[in-house]
């Protein structure tokens, strides 16, 4: 190795600049502060108050904070003493009950502050406890919310008179300004209390709205399940009594009734599970799995209703809420056809596009529209079932119409977006 090569190797091994020190990023520091804030907020209020009072007391005697604080009256100063220490403790330790008994906290803290100032003890960090106690009364006091400010004002008047009698050079303007400062601090607590109450009311109303929406959803599901299956069973049972002389057909009719009853029990069992579930026992999927429209048509056809199914296009991948709504529209429409137009030809048409599924159920009828009074308009809903269908479809961003068909009979039409979510 030559001398030049050795020099270059040594230079390569030597750092060209100062070593970099790894410092925590601002994001990491903010994350730690958030975790600390969540940990502190999760602790019981009584524990937080006791810990805060203890830390505040220690700071009141620690240099250099011990000499920083409020001072009013400008009376001749006297040296520190045991009485002065006790009065400082009287302004800090009552903060341990500032949220549980804020009025008691203010009475003890305010009295200690007044005596401390009237005796002319030097300023202390503990005097800030008066401001914290005032804020706590405004933010946490539940009872006597008008009497306590009046009593505090009376106490301040006695404090001002005592200072004047002891020869304080403070004038009327000084007393008034200091009083307004104290009122502003208490008012800040009242403002925070009002915002907290408003937020609690907003959360309560949001929770109540969610409960009401869930009740309406379950009511729709129960209506669809009970009305459809019970109607089908009644119709099938009525037809079975005329088949006593045809054992084969009677057996088929009884099998159809048995199958309808089992399907009804399965869906009702699911809905009752949702109603009874709490916490972790609630089903992961709160929406019942939709059945198949062809099976629904076959079931209705087995009950004696002539139903034809026409499906155009290829069914797209649909969200669970959209699939269930499609099924319920057909189910409710066939139920109304069986109830109000038994034996009338019924056409179920499904038209699929990548973004929409059009559902149309038309029932031939010589009389007025099924489920609607004679002469009803084209968008009149005939009852609870159709009103529920309209709400279902519109919640998904779709379109719904139900009413008499221009050529006679009754027509239900729904356009359901494929990506709709319940």
């Amino acid at each position: 190795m030559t001398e030049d090569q050795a020099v270059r190797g040594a230079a390569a091994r030597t750092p060209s600049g100062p070593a970099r020190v790894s410092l925590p990023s601002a994001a990491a520091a903010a994350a730690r502060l958030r975790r600390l804030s969540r940990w502190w907020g999760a602790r019981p209020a009584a524990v937080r108050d006791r810990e805060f009072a203890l830390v505040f007391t220690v700071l009141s005697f620690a240099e250099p904070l011990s000499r920083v604080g409020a001072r009013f009256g400008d009376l001749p100063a006297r040296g520190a003493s045991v009485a002065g220490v006790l009065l400082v403790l009287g302004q800090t330790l009552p903060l341990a009950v500032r949220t549980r008994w804020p009025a008691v906290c203010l009475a003890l803290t305010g009295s200690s502050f007044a005596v401390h100032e009237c005796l002319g003890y030097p300023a202390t960090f503990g005097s800030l406890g008066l401001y914290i106690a005032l804020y706590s009364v405004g933010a946490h006091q539940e009872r006597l919310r008008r009497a306590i400010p009046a009593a505090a004002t009376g106490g301040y008047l006695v404090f001002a008179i005592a200072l004047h009698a002891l020869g304080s050079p403070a004038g009327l303007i000084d007393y008034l300004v200091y009083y307004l400062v104290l009122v502003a601090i208490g008012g800040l607590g009242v403002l925070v209390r009002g915002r907290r109450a408003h937020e609690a009311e907003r959360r309560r109303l949001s929770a109540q709205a969610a409960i009401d929406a869930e009740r309406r959803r379950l009511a729709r599901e129960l209506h669809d399940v009970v009305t459809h299956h019970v109607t089908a069973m009644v119709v099938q049972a009525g037809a079975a009594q005329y088949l006593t002389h045809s054992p084969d057909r009677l057996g088929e009719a009884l099998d159809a009734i048995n199958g309808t009853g089992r399907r009804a029990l399965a869906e009702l069992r699911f809905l009752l599970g949702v109603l009874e579930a709490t916490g972790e026992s609630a089903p992961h999927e709160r929406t019942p799995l939709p059945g198949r429209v062809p099976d629904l048509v076959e079931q209705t056809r087995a009950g004696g209703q002539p139903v034809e199914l026409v499906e155009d296009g290829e069914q797209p991948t649909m969200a669970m809420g959209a699939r269930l709504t499609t099924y319920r529209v057909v189910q409710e429409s066939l139920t109304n056809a069986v109830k109000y137009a038994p034996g009338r030809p019924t056409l179920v048409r499904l038209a699929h596009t990548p973004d929409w599924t059009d559902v149309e159920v038309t029932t031939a009828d010589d009389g007025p529209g099924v489920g609607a009074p004679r002469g009803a308009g084209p968008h009149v809903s005939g009852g609870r079932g159709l009103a529920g269908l309209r709400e279902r479809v519109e919640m998904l961003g779709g379109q719904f119409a139900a009413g008499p068909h221009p050529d006679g009979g009754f027509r239900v039409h729904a356009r359901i977006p494929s990506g709709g979510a319940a």
Side-chain angles (χ1 to χ4, degrees):
M1 177 185 297
T2 65
E3 183 177 355
D4 291 342
Q5 291 175 336
V7 172
R8 286 196 297 268
R13 291 191 298 269
T14 303
S16 59
R20 294 184 179 180
V21 179
S22 177
L23 297 176
S25 65
R32 283 196 292 269
L33 288 176
R34 286 195 296 269
R35 287 195 297 269
L36 180 62
S37 177
R38 287 194 296 268
W39 171 81
W40 177 257
R43 297 172 66 79
V47 176
R48 293 201 307 266
D49 290 343
R50 289 195 293 267
E51 294 174 347
F52 176 79
L54 178 61
V55 173
F56 192 74
T57 301
V58 172
L59 294 178
S60 299
F61 293 97
E63 295 288 347
L65 289 179
S66 60
R67 300 181 181 181
V68 177
R71 180 170 176 80
F72 186 73
D74 293 331
L75 293 176
R78 67 170 63 186
S81 65
V82 175
V85 173
L86 294 178
L87 289 174
V88 173
L89 294 177
Q91 298 174 67
T92 60
L93 293 181
L95 298 178
V97 295
R98 71 181 190 89
T99 58
R100 187 177 181 183
W101 298 313
V104 175
C105 175
L106 177 61
L108 295 176
T109 303
S111 300
S112 299
F113 175 81
V115 175
H116 186 276
E117 295 302 308
C118 289
L119 295 180
Y121 285 110
T124 172
F125 187 73
S127 61
L128 301 181
L130 173 64
Y131 304 142
I132 300 174
L134 278 170
Y135 169 84
S136 301
V137 167
H140 302 289
Q141 183 65 31
E142 298 292 342
R143 301 173 56 188
L144 305 175
R145 293 184 56 81
R146 295 184 178 180
I148 291 177
T153 300
Y156 181 78
L157 289 176
V158 173
F159 171 57
I161 293 173
L163 286 178
H164 181 72
L166 292 173
S168 172
L172 179 62
I173 299 300
D174 299 324
Y175 291 115
L176 181 60
V177 170
Y178 192 58
Y179 176 76
L180 293 178
V181 170
L182 298 179
V183 170
I185 295 174
L188 178 62
V190 173
L191 179 62
V192 172
R193 173 189 175 87
R195 290 185 176 180
R196 188 167 57 237
H198 177 74
E199 179 64 19
E201 180 66 11
R202 187 193 65 79
R203 289 196 298 267
R204 186 190 69 81
L205 294 177
S206 298
Q208 186 62 44
I211 293 173
D212 294 341
E214 184 69 5
R215 286 176 177 173
R216 290 194 299 270
R217 187 185 73 85
L218 291 175
R220 290 195 304 267
E221 297 292 344
L222 286 172
H223 171 271
D224 293 342
V225 171
V226 173
T227 301
H228 175 77
H229 290 299
V230 172
T231 299
M233 292 170 65
V234 169
V235 172
Q236 292 165 353
Q241 64 180 336
Y242 298 104
L243 303 176
T244 55
H245 300 294
S246 302
D248 295 339
R249 297 183 61 189
L250 178 60
E252 294 177 358
L254 294 177
D255 288 341
I257 295 175
N258 181 56
T260 303
R262 289 179 180 276
R263 283 188 290 271
L265 288 176
E267 294 194 43
L268 289 174
R269 191 177 296 115
F270 177 89
L271 293 176
L272 290 176
V274 174
L275 286 172
E276 295 175 354
T278 56
E280 296 180 355
S281 63
H284 294 292
E285 178 55 62
R286 295 160 61 85
T287 303
L289 294 177
R292 298 178 63 252
V293 172
D295 296 339
L296 188 60
V297 171
E298 288 296 330
Q299 175 190 345
T300 307
R301 189 180 295 152
Q305 184 77 5
V307 183
E308 179 183 0
L309 173 63
V310 177
E311 194 164 0
D312 299 329
E314 183 177 354
Q315 180 176 347
T317 301
M318 302 180 69
M320 185 63 68
R323 290 174 55 196
L324 180 61
T325 300
T326 301
Y327 183 83
R328 292 302 190 206
V329 170
V330 177
Q331 184 183 58
E332 177 66 20
S333 301
L334 292 180
T335 300
N336 286 343
V338 172
K339 289 169 60 177
Y340 300 110
R344 302 287 183 180
T346 303
L347 174 63
V348 178
R349 181 183 297 275
L350 300 178
H352 302 293
T353 65
D355 300 324
W356 300 87
T357 291
D358 284 288
V359 183
E360 184 178 10
V361 181
T362 306
T363 303
D365 188 12
D366 296 334
V370 177
R374 184 184 299 272
H379 296 285
V380 174
S381 175
R384 179 186 180 91
L386 294 181
L389 291 183
R390 182 185 303 278
E391 184 176 353
R392 281 179 181 273
V393 174
E394 291 179 351
M395 283 179 60
L396 300 181
Q399 304 170 6
F400 180 84
H405 196 274
D407 298 332
F410 195 78
R411 173 179 177 268
V412 175
H413 176 263
R415 169 165 286 190
I416 302 169
S418 302

